[in-house]
Amino acid sequence: DAKTTQPPSMDCAEGRAANLPCNHSTISGNEYVYWYRQIHSQGPQYIIHGLKNNETNEMASLIITEDRKSSTLILPHATLRDTAVYYCIVKRNYGQNFVFGPGTRLSVLP
Amino acid sequence: DARVTQTPRHKVTEMGQEVTMRCQPILGHNTVFWYRQTMMQGLELLAYFRNRAPLDDSGMPKDRFSAEMPDATLATLKIQPSEPRDSAVYFCASGLVQTNGELFFGEGSRLTVL
C-alpha cells in the first residue's frame, strides 16, 4: 500500500483558508487520495477523494499535483468546528482497506 | 439520516470478562470494518467484511478476539477474555465497495477493562 506523510499539527486562524498537505510519493496509478477527519471523540468523517483531477464539494477542495505525488486539502473558510485530526489515505477505489496514519491535528484559532 | 449504530456506547468491565460489541451497518451497505483507537496506536484496522464474509482480520489478536456478521444487519466483535490493554474506543464503519468507497463510521464503543 502507498504510504502518506502529513505534518503532525497545524494552526489556522478562524475565517482563513486551511491548507493541509499530504505527501504520497509512492502512489500507484489506480490509487485514489481520500481525506477523512475526526472531531474529538467522534468517528472519522469522509471529506473528499480524487484520482488526478482537482475536486470540490461543500466541505472542501482537493488539489492533486500533476505527478500525483502530493495533494492539498483546502478548507476555504475555517471555523472553530473544523478543529480536528485530518487523515490523508491512498487506496484503490475498490478493495483494499482504509489504513489511517497519525494524520494532522488542525487547530482553528479564534 | 442513515447511520451506523453501535452498542454499547460505553462499557466498563473487569479483566477476564467477555465483552461483545455490536454494530448495525447502514442498510444496503456490503462492507463492514472494525477499527480500534487508542492514544498510543491511533486507528488500527481489526477486521474487514465484504458481503458478510471476513476478508481481512490480520489486525485482530486471534486468541481472544472474534468478529462475525450473523446477518447483513448485524456485525459483532467479541473479546474473551478481556484484558486491560483492550481498553480503547472501537469503531464500526460500513460502505459500498462498488461506489466511491466512502466509509461511514459509527460513534464508537468506549471500552474500559479494569
Side-chain angles (χ1 to χ4, degrees):
Chain A
D1 290 353
K3 299 202 185 304
T4 63
T5 304
Q6 300 178 252
S9 64
M10 292 182 63
D11 291 340
C12 176
E14 187 179 18
R16 304 298 294 268
N19 297 285
L20 293 96
C22 179
N23 286 320
H24 31 79
S25 58
T26 60
I27 192 170
S28 300
N30 61 352
E31 288 184 317
Y32 286 68
V33 180
Y34 288 79
W35 283 85
Y36 280 74
R37 74 179 181 183
Q38 186 174 24
I39 297 171
H40 180 62
S41 78
Q42 298 181 18
Q45 175 191 24
Y46 166 84
I47 301 173
I48 199 167
H49 79 286
L51 183 62
K52 54 184 177 181
N53 297 320
N54 298 338
E55 302 287 344
T56 296
N57 63 20
E58 66 277 6
M59 290 182 68
S61 295
L62 173 60
I63 309 298
I64 302 174
T65 58
E66 191 169 345
D67 63 7
R68 302 208 326 122
K69 293 184 184 300
S70 66
S71 60
T72 301
L73 179 75
I74 301 173
L75 308 178
H77 305 287
T79 70
L80 299 179
R81 289 177 296 177
D82 292 321
T83 292
V85 178
Y86 287 77
Y87 299 98
C88 170
I89 302 163
V90 294
K91 68 177 285 295
R92 292 193 304 267
N93 201 8
Y94 305 127
Q96 282 191 325
N97 305 321
F98 283 89
V99 178
F100 289 81
T104 295
R105 183 173 298 276
L106 174 69
S107 298
V108 180
L109 307 175
Chain B
D1 286 342
R3 59 180 64 186
V4 175
T5 303
Q6 291 186 244
T7 57
R9 293 293 313 281
H10 302 274
K11 175 73 175 181
V12 180
T13 191
E14 293 188 346
M15 182 173 62
Q17 297 298 306
E18 177 179 302
V19 175
T20 298
M21 288 167 276
R22 294 177 172 80
C23 168
Q24 181 176 354
I26 292 174
L27 188 64
H29 282 185
N30 56 8
T31 60
V32 172
F33 296 77
W34 281 106
Y35 287 87
R36 173 173 65 183
Q37 186 170 38
T38 61
M39 289 293 292
M40 294 299 295
Q41 299 296 327
L43 272 164
E44 301 174 278
L45 178 67
L46 295 177
Y48 165 38
F49 290 79
R50 184 187 299 174
N51 296 321
R52 295 176 54 202
L55 285 196
D56 184 357
D57 60 0
S58 58
M60 203 163 62
K62 300 292 193 304
D63 56 338
R64 298 183 300 106
F65 284 61
S66 62
E68 297 179 342
M69 282 201 72
D71 61 60
T73 65
L74 177 65
T76 63
L77 180 66
K78 185 177 297 185
I79 308 174
Q80 168 63 20
S82 58
E83 298 181 1
R85 58 178 168 158
D86 301 329
S87 296
V89 181
Y90 291 80
F91 288 104
C92 175
S94 71
L96 271 174
V97 70
Q98 60 264 41
T99 60
N100 63 13
E102 175 185 349
L103 286 187
F104 295 80
F105 281 78
E107 296 184 339
S109 294
R110 180 176 294 277
L111 174 65
T112 302
V113 183
L114 303 175

